[in-house]
Amino acid sequence: MSIRSTRQPWMYVAVAVLLSSLAAFAQVDVLTQHNDPGRTGANLHETVLNLKNVNQKDFGLLFKHVLDDQIYAQPLLATNISIDGGTHDLVFLTTVNNSVYAFDANDPAATAPVWHVNFGTPANLHDADFGCFDINGKMGILGAPVLWLKRDGAPHDALYVVALTRTGGGYQQRLHALDLATGADLPESPTTITAPGFDPLQQSQRPALTLANGMIYVGYASHCDKLPYHGYLLGYDARTLQQTAVLNTSPTGQGATIWQSGQAPAVDAAGNIYVVTANGDWDGVQNFSESFLKLDAHLKLLDWFTPTNHVKLDQIDADLGSSGPTLIPGTRMIAGGGKEGVLYAVDADRLGHLGDEHAIQHFQATASHLHSLVFWESAKRGGLLYVWGQRDKARVYHVGGNKIDETPVMTRPEVNEGHPGAMLSLSANNGHDGILWAAIHATGDSWHESRPGILHAYDADDVTHELWNSLQNPARDDCGEYSKMAPPTIANGKVYLASFGTRNIGTGQFCVYGLLPAGLPPAAPTGLKTTVVGGAVALTWLPVPGAHTYTVRSIREGKTLRLAGGLTTPIYSGIIAELGSQQYTVSTDNANGESAASVPVEVTIGDAPPQVRHH
């Protein structure tokens, strides 16, 4: 494994005291696929983007970064992570080339990643006769990672991810736990994934990883339904990476995979796990294809639901599990649907076993495949469930009490041309300023090839009103090829979108959208002070109202050097200064640009014994 990183943090006691006295900005993290354990796909704490400023004039592409291959996973975001003496917001991307990237989430000037790791040569779609092109080329990392932060009780700030690697004459899948600040494997990482009947090449780690109950849950599908394969959900202790539980959904048969179009298993407040399976064998005892499954923390089957027509679904390759489960907040309903376009709502307390009569309801919600659901409780219109299926138009259903109204309350007029329909996310300030974000191919069908992509923003209270899309001004906002089944991530005034890049195979990039300059930049920082410990310099300054991030520069012999950008708190430490005199300045920025530099402070480093000096 190769590691590319910036220098390591250099922290001192004096700096630690200063850091502890500074409150972090009120920022939103997106640590898991589709935002929360219930997989609602909604960020309800978006206070920057709203219905007035998301438009062609005020909103657009801020910057983009090229990656080494296609991205199938939703970008994730962690804020105020300590790196190299400052705090940064980091966005995390994975590629099918077995790469994991951490980029500064805010700083356009940070063209290089904060770190990049690669786990070695990935498996390729042509390494077996799979018979289709569900993945166009390499297939090293497919499922989205999950993050666990120290401020949430983790022993380390960690990213968990599974990579499929060629090893000698065979293949291995390994679960890695990476340090968020450096990308290095933590001491207990990696661990090789094994289970009875598990073939690392045949089994596709397609669903996003899930963190719950102190465990990492890893789910599995197949490639192109190429036998032999099973559906697996495996549990690993998040601290030790020791395997703690194994579920095989077809132990005496085949199939019944958990793919869910990349969506993670859902988790309720009690820690129960929910998945929906695909084609395969079913006997209602050990083998559970085409079924909703409820599992305890140790993956013991607690309850299940299977539609009446499960045999037909299997025969016509109409997987029930193409959308995965969404837990509807404020209810005990679990919503999910499959390739028939039929939406099922089942009772989490009593799934009901075999037969449609046991579901709360089921109805034709979209014309064909259903791959993505989003739920939002609108202050204006109540509970709303959003779908945009394959070869169909976007539809919105009202949810009231324990029932989904089966006639849409809103629809869009246009019909998309093919597979897989739109991947949806939503941002809102609680029940207000709801924006539905839909990533989809602009033309054609994405089943077996890459297609040009488009990102739409709609008024979530009135989806007939489009606020903006990425092809209104393509020279500025186009993000390239559609990343199949990767929802956009929206947080803290920015939208992070994965892309397959510029070609059908072998390229990738991600785009960052936000508010464009439309006024005056913020005021220059004030109160810049220095602390010198043993020849290393730490800087602190007063927070600037309305600032997004800070940039630190040094000035020596008339030459200015940018030391750090994207800093999210007013402190920067561990500057290794040369002997002699140098000056330091700090600037800040927001959507309107960068401020003037602060009044500089001067520091002189001599060859005297180390001591603490304040300026």
Side-chain angles (χ1 to χ4, degrees):
M1 180 183 74
S2 63
I3 298 179
R4 183 178 181 276
S5 175
T6 56
R7 57 191 171 87
Q8 298 299 305
W10 189 332
M11 304 301 292
Y12 301 94
V13 173
V15 175
V17 172
L18 288 168
L19 262 178
S20 67
S21 69
L22 295 170
F25 297 140
Q27 296 283 78
V28 171
D29 299 309
V30 180
L31 308 177
T32 188
Q33 190 269 348
H34 243 188
N35 292 73
D36 55 60
R39 312 304 163 194
T40 65
N43 168 20
L44 302 181
H45 304 284
E46 179 52 54
T47 59
V48 177
L49 302 179
N50 57 52
L51 299 176
K52 294 181 179 179
N53 60 26
V54 176
N55 57 60
Q56 188 177 352
K57 172 179 172 289
D58 299 320
F59 179 86
L61 182 70
L62 301 178
F63 58 95
K64 67 175 69 172
H65 292 307
V66 174
L67 277 63
D68 63 13
D69 214 323
Q70 294 180 337
I71 309 164
Y72 274 83
Q74 178 180 341
L76 299 180
L77 179 74
T79 62
N80 296 309
I81 300 300
S82 295
I83 299 173
D84 289 345
T87 58
H88 296 257
D89 297 346
L90 299 182
V91 59
F92 300 93
L93 291 304
T94 61
T95 75
V96 294
N97 192 45
N98 267 342
S99 283
V100 184
Y101 291 84
F103 281 94
D104 189 291
N106 305 306
D107 187 4
T111 55
V114 175
W115 54 260
H116 166 215
V117 300
N118 184 269
F119 300 121
T121 304
N124 190 290
L125 186 68
H126 303 288
D127 287 334
D129 183 18
F130 289 114
C132 80
F133 294 95
D134 63 337
I135 307 297
N136 292 339
K138 298 174 183 176
M139 50 190 193
I141 299 175
L142 296 174
V146 68
L147 311 184
W148 193 20
L149 303 184
K150 287 189 288 187
R151 56 181 176 255
D152 296 326
H156 310 276
D157 287 333
L159 177 149
Y160 299 86
V161 67
V162 171
L164 168 58
T165 308
R166 291 183 184 176
T167 52
Y171 304 89
Q172 280 188 326
Q173 292 202 34
R174 287 176 233 179
L175 172 62
H176 293 262
L178 305 181
D179 184 288
L180 283 194
T182 67
D185 273 287
L186 293 169
E188 60 276 4
S189 173
T191 189
T192 300
I193 291 177
T194 61
F198 181 88
D199 183 322
L201 181 60
Q202 295 291 116
Q203 299 288 164
S204 172
Q205 204 291 288
R206 189 67 188 92
L209 304 191
T210 294
L211 170 66
N213 309 307
M215 292 166 60
I216 303 296
Y217 297 98
V218 184
Y220 281 94
S222 69
H223 291 292
C224 308
D225 292 340
K226 176 71 174 180
L227 295 171
Y229 67 91
H230 301 279
Y232 288 97
L233 191 61
L234 310 176
Y236 292 85
D237 186 292
R239 295 175 183 271
T240 66
L241 295 195
Q242 295 298 306
Q243 190 178 84
T244 57
V246 175
L247 172 73
N248 183 339
T249 58
S250 57
T252 61
Q254 297 283 354
T257 67
I258 303 165
W259 70 288
Q260 302 185 163
S261 300
Q263 179 156 302
V267 186
D268 67 18
N272 297 311
I273 313 296
Y274 299 86
V275 296
V276 188
T277 60
N279 301 330
D281 292 323
W282 185 94
D283 59 17
V285 180
Q286 297 183 81
N287 304 298
F288 285 96
S289 66
E290 316 290 6
S291 299
F292 287 69
L293 304 181
K294 179 179 180 179
L295 313 163
D296 71 7
H298 300 287
L299 304 184
K300 176 184 176 182
L301 182 62
L302 299 176
D303 203 355
W304 54 274
F305 167 78
T306 306
T308 301
N309 67 339
H310 68 94
V311 174
K312 178 184 177 183
L313 295 180
D314 181 61
Q315 290 173 342
I316 64 174
D317 187 26
D319 308 28
L320 180 67
S322 63
S323 76
T326 296
L327 309 186
I328 305 299
T331 76
R332 296 300 295 164
M333 282 197 298
I334 307 168
K339 293 181 180 178
E340 272 195 319
V342 172
L343 182 71
Y344 283 85
V346 296
D347 187 338
D349 293 325
R350 185 181 176 278
L351 295 186
H353 294 187
L354 177 62
D356 289 350
E357 68 273 16
H358 299 300
I360 295 172
Q361 60 191 122
H362 67 288
F363 62 96
Q364 193 75 40
T366 190
S368 183
H369 293 200
L370 183 57
H371 291 280
S372 185
L373 299 174
V374 159
F375 175 83
W376 177 48
E377 187 73 31
S378 164
K380 180 179 180 180
R381 308 193 68 153
L384 297 172
L385 190 67
Y386 301 83
V387 304
W388 191 354
Q390 172 178 296
R391 298 185 179 90
D392 200 5
K393 55 191 175 183
R395 303 169 187 264
V396 187
Y397 294 90
H398 179 260
V399 180
N402 286 308
K403 183 175 176 59
I404 303 170
D405 293 345
E406 298 183 8
T407 300
V409 293
M410 293 178 274
T411 61
R412 288 284 308 172
E414 66 271 24
V415 175
N416 74 78
E417 297 181 18
H419 176 83
M423 302 308 292
L424 305 177
S425 295
L426 189 141
S427 63
N429 187 0
N430 293 308
H432 303 276
D433 278 317
I435 300 175
L436 179 68
W437 302 87
I440 193 170
H441 43 239
T443 60
D445 185 291
S446 302
W447 191 290
H448 299 300
E449 63 176 344
S450 300
R451 298 295 305 165
I454 182 171
L455 177 63
H456 298 273
Y458 302 116
D459 181 343
D461 274 320
D462 178 10
V463 297
T464 64
H465 177 206
E466 183 171 36
L467 306 171
W468 169 90
N469 74 61
S470 60
L471 295 184
Q472 289 173 330
N473 185 348
R476 183 190 69 192
D477 296 338
D478 184 19
C479 195
E481 303 291 279
Y482 171 51
S483 175
K484 183 170 62 176
M485 300 177 184
T489 295
I490 307 94
N492 311 316
K494 292 185 174 63
V495 179
Y496 303 93
L497 180 68
S499 165
F500 279 179
T502 58
R503 300 194 304 272
N504 186 57
I505 189 171
T507 63
Q509 65 183 7
F510 83 101
C511 296
V512 181
Y513 298 91
L515 296 181
L516 301 169
L520 295 175
T526 59
L528 180 59
K529 296 181 179 180
T530 65
T531 300
V532 182
V533 182
V537 180
L539 305 175
T540 61
W541 55 93
L542 296 177
V544 177
H548 287 175
T549 62
Y550 301 97
T551 298
V552 174
R553 293 177 173 88
S554 67
I555 305 170
R556 182 180 174 89
E557 297 178 349
K559 296 181 179 179
T560 300
L561 176 66
R562 186 179 192 266
L563 297 180
L567 300 171
T568 57
T569 49
I571 187 167
Y572 184 60
S573 67
I575 304 169
I576 309 305
E578 299 179 37
L579 294 178
S581 295
Q582 42 260 305
Q583 293 181 323
Y584 298 96
T585 64
V586 178
S587 60
T588 187
D589 71 88
N590 61 19
N592 295 324
E594 186 174 357
S595 75
S598 67
V599 173
V601 295
E602 185 168 311
V603 174
T604 300
I605 304 295
D607 55 4
Q611 55 182 318
V612 176
R613 300 196 301 276
H614 300 279
H615 297 269

